[in-house]
Amino acid sequence: MAKESKGEKTQKDPRYSAEDIYVLEGLEPVRKRPGMYIGSTGPDGLHHLVWEIFDNSRDEAMGGFATQIEVALLPGNVVRVVDDGRGIPVDMHPKTKVSALETAMTTLHAGGKFGGESYKISGGLHGVGASVVNALSTWLKAEIHRDGGKYVQEYKQGKPKEKVKKVAPSKKRGTIITFTPDPEIFKEIEFDLQKIKDHHRQQAFLVKGMRVRIIDAREYKGKIDEDVYYLDELHLPVPSHSFYFEGGILSLVRHLNKGEEVLHEAVFYVDKHVEGVFVEASLQYLTDITAREISFANNIHTPEGGMHLTGFRSALTRVLNDYARKNNILREADDNLSGDDVREGLTAVISVKIPNPQFEGQTKAKLGSPEGRTATEAVVGEALTYFLEEHPQDARRIIEKCVLSQKARKAAKAARETVLRKGILEGMTLPGKLADCSSRNPEESELYVVEGDSAGGSAKQGRDRRFQAILPLKGKILNIEKARLDRMLTSTEIKALIIALGTAIADEFDIKRLRYHRIIIMTDADVDGAHIRTLLLTLLYRYFAPLIDAGNIYIAQPPLYRIQMGKTAKYAYSDKEKEIILSEFASAKQEQRSAKAKKAGKQEEEEESAEEGGEEEGVEKGEGKIRGVSIQRYKGLGEMNPDQLWTTTMDPERRMLKRVMVDDAQEADKIFSVLMGSDVLPRKRFIQAHAKNVKNLDV
Ligand code: 0RA
């Protein structure tokens, strides 16, 4: 304590004045317990350093002072963040008598960041500031352009090397921070470009009009001109990625819905300040039944939701009900639309900015500030009412879809009750079509739900009857609309499935009674197959969601091709794999030929190839044909004999299965990058009204 007071001389290092001692003491805890400040010293903590430095520039952009931020990865684990904001002040700080820049870089919690920021972003681990990064860097350089000059200060493990110096005149304004993470702190220093891109793409969505450029110059060993402001100006031959979204979160909603079937064209968007809270929300419905709600508080993703999401949801439910009543789409006798009803098919993004936000929950990923709820509810309520009035056709579509969801939910409930009341599942005699396995241990037991009787027959013969059960379902019976889901429950086929599962349904549902821990849907790789698969998945989603959550549901992956050369047959599960196998065969053939030519002379080789080429077709491969190779394309499971079905699709040693998963909001950051990542969107979308999406199920 005494050491921190001003005026006392240090014995440790006479080069520093008393003011510096205060400063030096300031960062000591960061190096002692880095995890407290950046979460971990693993990859997440390492990347956190970049986020921290970036956040300051982003705040400058949010305040309307900066428009462009560049994040560059340089050789030797160096990171450089550049903005065109006002520049960190370099004049004397009244309290510490050192420059404001030095104070900011060398003291913990130096005011609300740099003082005077209206939205201090200090939730959880976030916003601990540049000084923490400085403390955890072997080297950091701050270059400030303002007041007609370029000012520089460098630091070593958070300690200033010299006082802030004006090194050149400058007409520019802005801040450049360059740093190298300390290998004493971080065991492994390896920046992940994908992660950095995903993070900054997300941030760019959250600050309308802010341009963020990522430059990966790690492999660019040439000397980078120290004096250039944005490295982009150098046009280096290195990868760079630019993110800029004019519409902010409206662009995010568009991005999320890209390539999907939208229910209406106009995207709802609002941004407004109320009582110190800034609320932004955007939404658009798809024709499917999943709900996608993404929320942020102070630019921090809140996967567990919280007050802002609650406020949004109640506004949505209230406004849609009001509109539906006012326009007679819902009559007096009708029930109100429930929260679930209005969320089916919804893509929504909610972003609030609150002074001093409270974060709650296990991972501090939930907004606890009650003003977040009132502000969001008020802003969204008003603007959405207006939006519906302005877009009556879209409004009608939305409400009609919600009403349909309500009907489906009611029908499902009624059907469940009927099933129970009429005791349809009573007695639980296993259906005759089920070829059960002999094991009674659910953990090792599998149920193959197979499309069609003929494939069912092959599966029955090909299976390992000890632990594999087969239930063939007639395609036609399932070929009913998904809106008539309630009817499905009364179909004999589906009843058989439910009885086979053993869990019962609705109130009686008991996952402990599940008879097979793997339920594997095996359908043809054609449109009908996809349709049946979708119906089965929809059924499972509506009535047996816990099985999906528990990871009990799988989709079998039958091969698309059988490729044969001589006595060797290989199976390809994709077109790409087919190509690979063909080139393998081609080169094997080549080798064989040259080996034979060497050994036994020409005669034999000719015989050999004549024999092989005989009856079998030659297969096109690149420029020429590979003689003696034949390709069979499977159109249905029925084309495989029991043995082939076992080898390719059922043998646990060789088969491929895809596990069906639902978006898990708790999976937080992982999902986030998934959500934002370029190739991702179709991956996580699980239950869809459209079969085309189901084939993209994630493993
Ligand atoms: C507070 C006041 C002023 C500038 C900044 C913060 C600032 C900090 C950072 C950190 C990275 N980039 C930044 N840009 C600006 C100065 C206010 C003024 O000049 O009036």
Side-chain angles (χ1 to χ4, degrees), residues 98 163 203 247 357 415 525 640:
V98 295
K163 290 226 168 295
Q203 291 292 317
M640 269 183 272

PDB file of all heavy atoms in Angstrom, residues 98 163 203 247 357 415 525 640:
ATOM      1  N   VAL A  98       1.316  11.620 -15.384  1.00  0.00           N
ATOM      2  CA  VAL A  98       1.940  11.073 -16.590  1.00  0.00           C
ATOM      3  C   VAL A  98       0.938  11.209 -17.722  1.00  0.00           C
ATOM      4  O   VAL A  98      -0.221  11.556 -17.491  1.00  0.00           O
ATOM      5  CB  VAL A  98       2.379   9.588 -16.429  1.00  0.00           C
ATOM      6  CG1 VAL A  98       3.471   9.452 -15.399  1.00  0.00           C
ATOM      7  CG2 VAL A  98       1.189   8.722 -16.101  1.00  0.00           C
ATOM      8  N   LYS A 163       9.386   7.790 -21.810  1.00  0.00           N
ATOM      9  CA  LYS A 163       8.172   8.614 -21.775  1.00  0.00           C
ATOM     10  C   LYS A 163       7.595   8.721 -23.196  1.00  0.00           C
ATOM     11  O   LYS A 163       8.292   8.451 -24.177  1.00  0.00           O
ATOM     12  CB  LYS A 163       8.509  10.015 -21.263  1.00  0.00           C
ATOM     13  CG  LYS A 163       8.865  10.043 -19.783  1.00  0.00           C
ATOM     14  CD  LYS A 163       8.137  11.201 -19.084  1.00  0.00           C
ATOM     15  CE  LYS A 163       8.206  11.124 -17.565  1.00  0.00           C
ATOM     16  NZ  LYS A 163       7.500   9.956 -16.990  1.00  0.00           N
ATOM     17  N   GLN A 203     -18.459  -8.721 -34.878  1.00  0.00           N
ATOM     18  CA  GLN A 203     -18.362  -7.356 -34.376  1.00  0.00           C
ATOM     19  C   GLN A 203     -18.784  -6.345 -35.447  1.00  0.00           C
ATOM     20  O   GLN A 203     -19.411  -5.342 -35.139  1.00  0.00           O
ATOM     21  CB  GLN A 203     -16.940  -7.080 -33.890  1.00  0.00           C
ATOM     22  CG  GLN A 203     -16.573  -7.856 -32.629  1.00  0.00           C
ATOM     23  CD  GLN A 203     -17.352  -7.372 -31.415  1.00  0.00           C
ATOM     24  OE1 GLN A 203     -17.518  -6.183 -31.204  1.00  0.00           O
ATOM     25  NE2 GLN A 203     -17.861  -8.309 -30.625  1.00  0.00           N
ATOM     26  N   GLY A 247     -26.167  -2.390 -42.928  1.00  0.00           N
ATOM     27  CA  GLY A 247     -27.408  -2.529 -42.174  1.00  0.00           C
ATOM     28  C   GLY A 247     -27.224  -3.041 -40.753  1.00  0.00           C
ATOM     29  O   GLY A 247     -28.205  -3.288 -40.063  1.00  0.00           O
ATOM     30  N   PRO A 357     -23.621  -3.024 -17.418  1.00  0.00           N
ATOM     31  CA  PRO A 357     -24.496  -4.192 -17.518  1.00  0.00           C
ATOM     32  C   PRO A 357     -24.131  -5.252 -16.468  1.00  0.00           C
ATOM     33  O   PRO A 357     -22.980  -5.357 -16.065  1.00  0.00           O
ATOM     34  CB  PRO A 357     -24.185  -4.727 -18.912  1.00  0.00           C
ATOM     35  CG  PRO A 357     -22.777  -4.309 -19.164  1.00  0.00           C
ATOM     36  CD  PRO A 357     -22.618  -2.979 -18.485  1.00  0.00           C
ATOM     37  N   ALA A 415     -53.561 -35.185 -30.159  1.00  0.00           N
ATOM     38  CA  ALA A 415     -53.209 -36.526 -30.605  1.00  0.00           C
ATOM     39  C   ALA A 415     -52.527 -37.305 -29.487  1.00  0.00           C
ATOM     40  O   ALA A 415     -52.815 -38.475 -29.265  1.00  0.00           O
ATOM     41  CB  ALA A 415     -52.295 -36.440 -31.823  1.00  0.00           C
ATOM     42  N   ALA A 525     -31.246 -42.709 -50.940  1.00  0.00           N
ATOM     43  CA  ALA A 525     -30.601 -41.421 -51.212  1.00  0.00           C
ATOM     44  C   ALA A 525     -31.316 -40.700 -52.349  1.00  0.00           C
ATOM     45  O   ALA A 525     -30.691 -40.185 -53.258  1.00  0.00           O
ATOM     46  CB  ALA A 525     -29.131 -41.646 -51.544  1.00  0.00           C
ATOM     47  N   MET A 640     -28.999 -53.222 -52.963  1.00  0.00           N
ATOM     48  CA  MET A 640     -27.881 -53.891 -52.286  1.00  0.00           C
ATOM     49  C   MET A 640     -28.338 -55.225 -51.735  1.00  0.00           C
ATOM     50  O   MET A 640     -29.437 -55.324 -51.177  1.00  0.00           O
ATOM     51  CB  MET A 640     -27.370 -53.016 -51.140  1.00  0.00           C
ATOM     52  CG  MET A 640     -26.270 -52.076 -51.566  1.00  0.00           C
ATOM     53  SD  MET A 640     -25.649 -51.139 -50.200  1.00  0.00           S
ATOM     54  CE  MET A 640     -26.754 -49.769 -50.214  1.00  0.00           C
TER      55      MET A 640
END
